[in-house]
Amino acid sequence: MKLPDYFHSNIKTDLDRLISTKPTPFLVVDLSVIEKRYREMVEGFPMADVFYAVKANPANDVVQLLVELGSNFDIASVPELEKVLSFDVEPSRISFGNTIKKKADIEYFYQKGVRLFATDCEADLINIAEAAPGSSVYFRLLFDGSATADWPLTDKFGCKANVAVELAAKAKELGLKPYGISFHVGSQQRDIETWRQAILATKAAFDQIKEQHNISLEMINLGGGLPASYIQHTHSFSYYANSILAFIKDSFAQDMPRILIEPGRSLVGDSGIIVSEVVLVTDKKTKPEYPDRWVYTDVGTFNGLIETIGEGTKYPILTSKEGNNKKVILAGPTCDSMDIMYKDHQYQLPDTLTTGDHIFWLSTGAYTTSYSSVEFNGLPPLTSYVVKN
Ligand SMILES: Cc1ncc(COP(=O)(O)O)c(C=O)c1O
């Protein structure tokens, strides 16, 4: 079994040790990969402040590493805030990036010293003005990158540019600081063109806010969206970084705003390997378009692999055994027929694969443990272990 060479050199020994001592399934997170990816991010976006999107992987070791590396944090909820503050992160390094939040939660963030809030509608803006007076607010633009993102974030978040313009004026009137514009092009966004479109829309919003209300915004938040290494082709990290910076320079020229970037998946995705065990292999004819061979594993949609819903995320897979490759359907362990990871995308796995063999799911460091159900079919949430150089 050949693992990608971005893992630390003793990763195989670590995997063997964990496999011989721990029950599967579990996630192994190689902190060295996160450190590498963080350093690449800082080099690729030298003028940007990195705000790690904690929701991607909130493990204490991951947060601690990123605190030590100097990251800032994009936070979605009070429990995430408490976790990050427990590592003595100054509130100036925190943004409340969730547009959907309770007034009581805004108040709590404010009491803890946070002064930077995302918003996309008037009701939320009024809550911020009342519960976090004088704070800086940035307006999230609605953006549809769904055609080329494996995990789109369309419709639910953001507002049209004309609404952002009015929110900026209202924010000023309410005593807040209209600070910037944010967008999210969709998670695992493969197409660079979406960033170009989003940056053009951001510049247009900056201009309209200045023209109509004489308000000069100071910040662009590029959101997340940069890809991890799944099966579908993406460009290199440097290609995305260089292109995005060129788009920003084209639009903003001499008048460069402060830039924030909120990576989740691209920082932590590649660090993870889920180790699972084959529960059963069986042959069963269902529909003519599907393979007959079913491989059931002890990890599934509900205990770590929820991003396989709709077969959006296609993780690279390795197995402990060699053999002639044969098309399979891959399914999880629960009594739910939603718990089938891949049926249309037909993975080819060795025909020797049998009960007790191991399947390794690569690039599973993001949105796996944090999405894992609590007790569905009695199964515990996905356990994770960290390793490093
Ligand atoms: C506001 C916000 N910022 C950043 C991210 C991270 O995005 P990604 O994992 O695609 O980098 C998310 C993900 O949902 C988000 O909601």
Side-chain angles (χ1 to χ4, degrees):
M1 183 175 81
K2 170 102 181 75
L3 287 168
D5 52 15
Y6 49 72
F7 287 110
H8 80 266
S9 51
N10 287 326
I11 186 74
K12 279 242 174 81
T13 316
D14 283 330
L15 282 178
D16 288 343
R17 174 179 49 83
L18 288 165
I19 287 171
S20 63
T21 53
K22 310 286 183 196
T24 60
F26 55 81
L27 169 70
V28 181
V29 173
D30 182 350
L31 292 179
S32 339
V33 177
I34 301 180
E35 180 164 351
K36 255 182 239 166
R37 293 286 185 266
Y38 181 82
R39 293 193 191 286
E40 265 171 26
M41 188 68 62
V42 172
E43 261 171 49
F45 292 91
M47 79 297 283
D49 295 320
V50 177
F51 280 66
Y52 170 55
V54 177
K55 58 183 81 77
N57 188 327
N60 285 338
D61 295 285
V62 172
V63 172
Q64 181 168 9
L65 171 70
L66 289 164
V67 170
E68 287 164 8
L69 290 171
S71 183
N72 306 283
F73 295 89
D74 162 45
I75 304 284
S77 67
V78 167
E80 277 190 3
L81 175 69
E82 281 173 343
K83 170 166 293 199
V84 169
L85 290 179
S86 75
F87 290 97
D88 290 332
V89 173
E90 310 84 68
S92 58
R93 288 167 66 188
I94 291 171
S95 159
F96 196 173
N98 195 347
T99 52
I100 302 146
K101 50 195 174 298
K102 296 177 182 171
K103 189 171 174 185
D105 294 350
I106 298 170
E107 201 168 345
Y108 188 79
F109 272 66
Y110 184 75
Q111 278 165 11
K112 294 290 173 188
V114 176
R115 297 289 181 271
L116 184 58
F117 297 84
T119 192
D120 64 3
C121 71
E122 190 171 314
D124 183 52
L125 189 71
I126 291 170
N127 283 343
I128 297 171
E130 288 173 1
S135 293
S136 295
V137 283
Y138 57 94
F139 312 103
R140 180 160 168 177
L141 290 184
L142 189 130
F143 190 78
D144 186 356
S146 58
T148 45
D150 288 350
W151 199 256
L153 296 167
T154 314
D155 293 345
K156 182 173 174 187
F157 315 98
C159 58
K160 296 249 168 78
N162 63 318
V163 176
V165 173
E166 293 320 309
L167 287 177
K170 183 86 185 169
K172 194 174 166 191
E173 194 187 306
L174 292 169
L176 295 166
K177 181 175 168 58
Y179 187 50
I181 295 284
S182 74
F183 57 79
H184 197 304
V185 291
S187 200
Q188 190 72 8
Q189 177 55 263
R190 288 171 275 110
D191 183 12
I192 189 65
E193 179 61 17
T194 55
W195 271 278
R196 198 168 74 84
Q197 294 305 332
I199 289 163
L200 287 172
T202 300
K203 170 66 171 143
F206 264 62
D207 289 347
Q208 285 170 40
I209 289 170
K210 176 77 186 162
E211 278 158 25
Q212 294 179 33
H213 300 292
N214 198 26
I215 294 169
S216 302
L217 297 181
E218 297 169 32
M219 186 276 281
I220 310 179
N221 181 338
L222 302 171
L226 290 166
S229 310
Y230 302 137
I231 285 194
Q232 262 173 300
H233 173 262
T234 60
H235 302 289
S236 66
F237 171 76
S238 57
Y239 176 82
Y240 289 106
N242 294 340
S243 310
I244 292 168
L245 290 183
F247 299 151
I248 297 174
K249 281 186 190 140
D250 282 351
S251 282
F252 288 87
Q254 302 308 318
D255 217 6
M256 283 296 251
R258 179 186 177 203
I259 296 167
L260 270 51
I261 186 161
E262 292 176 341
R265 191 183 299 281
S266 58
L267 277 192
V268 297
D270 290 348
S271 72
I273 305 173
I274 289 179
V275 181
S276 68
E277 194 177 290
V278 175
V279 179
L280 291 170
V281 180
T282 180
D283 280 320
K284 172 169 54 174
K285 284 203 190 315
T286 51
K287 296 206 173 72
E289 64 270 32
Y290 295 134
D292 294 347
R293 198 168 173 79
W294 288 67
V295 174
Y296 299 93
T297 82
D298 58 5
V299 71
T301 311
F302 301 103
N303 58 347
L305 299 177
I306 206 158
E307 284 203 337
T308 60
I309 280 182
E311 307 197 14
T313 305
K314 297 178 190 71
Y315 299 106
I317 290 176
L318 295 174
T319 52
S320 56
K321 250 193 199 152
E322 308 277 300
N324 293 321
N325 281 339
K326 220 175 157 182
K327 284 183 181 172
V328 300
I329 293 178
L330 268 162
T334 65
C335 306
D336 190 315
S337 55
M338 276 293 287
D339 193 8
I340 298 174
M341 286 78 81
Y342 302 109
K343 209 164 167 185
D344 293 314
H345 184 84
Q346 291 163 10
Y347 280 80
Q348 303 221 16
L349 298 185
D351 56 1
T352 50
L353 206 65
T354 184
T355 301
D357 289 338
H358 288 110
I359 296 184
F360 301 88
W361 306 71
L362 303 188
S363 296
T364 45
Y367 305 113
T368 51
T369 46
S370 56
Y371 260 147
S372 186
S373 80
V374 176
E375 210 181 19
F376 184 51
N377 275 227
L379 299 177
L382 185 64
T383 313
S384 84
Y385 303 102
V386 295
V387 297
K388 59 185 172 192
N389 245 342

